[in-house]
Amino acid sequence: EEQTKQALSNLEAVLEASASSVGKVVKTTMLFLKHMEDFAAVNKIYEEFFSGSEHKPARSAVEVARLPKDVLFEIECIAG
């Protein structure tokens, strides 16, 4: 949960630094999870993160064997 919140916070900072915002996210192209059993907790945090947005971006999620720096969660997105 902590890593998911941090990754989403980082995503928000990157969006704002590029003159975009969470509300302009069209799609999160991928949620990468080290353990798929964490999906329910990640999904709850994801919903809270986008709760202020006009729309809820579509997403896909996959379980991966290993992520850079052995993190448990990673996200990609497309924004306007």
Side-chain angles (χ1 to χ4, degrees), residues 1 4 36-48:
E1 290 179 19
T4 301
M36 191 54 80
E37 55 269 6
D38 293 336
F39 180 76
V42 167
N43 195 50
K44 182 176 185 282
I45 294 165
Y46 181 93
E47 288 178 4
E48 291 169 0

Side-chain angles (χ1 to χ4, degrees), residues 45-59:
I45 294 165
Y46 181 93
E47 288 178 4
E48 291 169 0
F49 181 76
F50 286 103
S51 66
S53 296
E54 198 171 298
H55 67 282
K56 306 299 183 259
R59 69 195 174 282

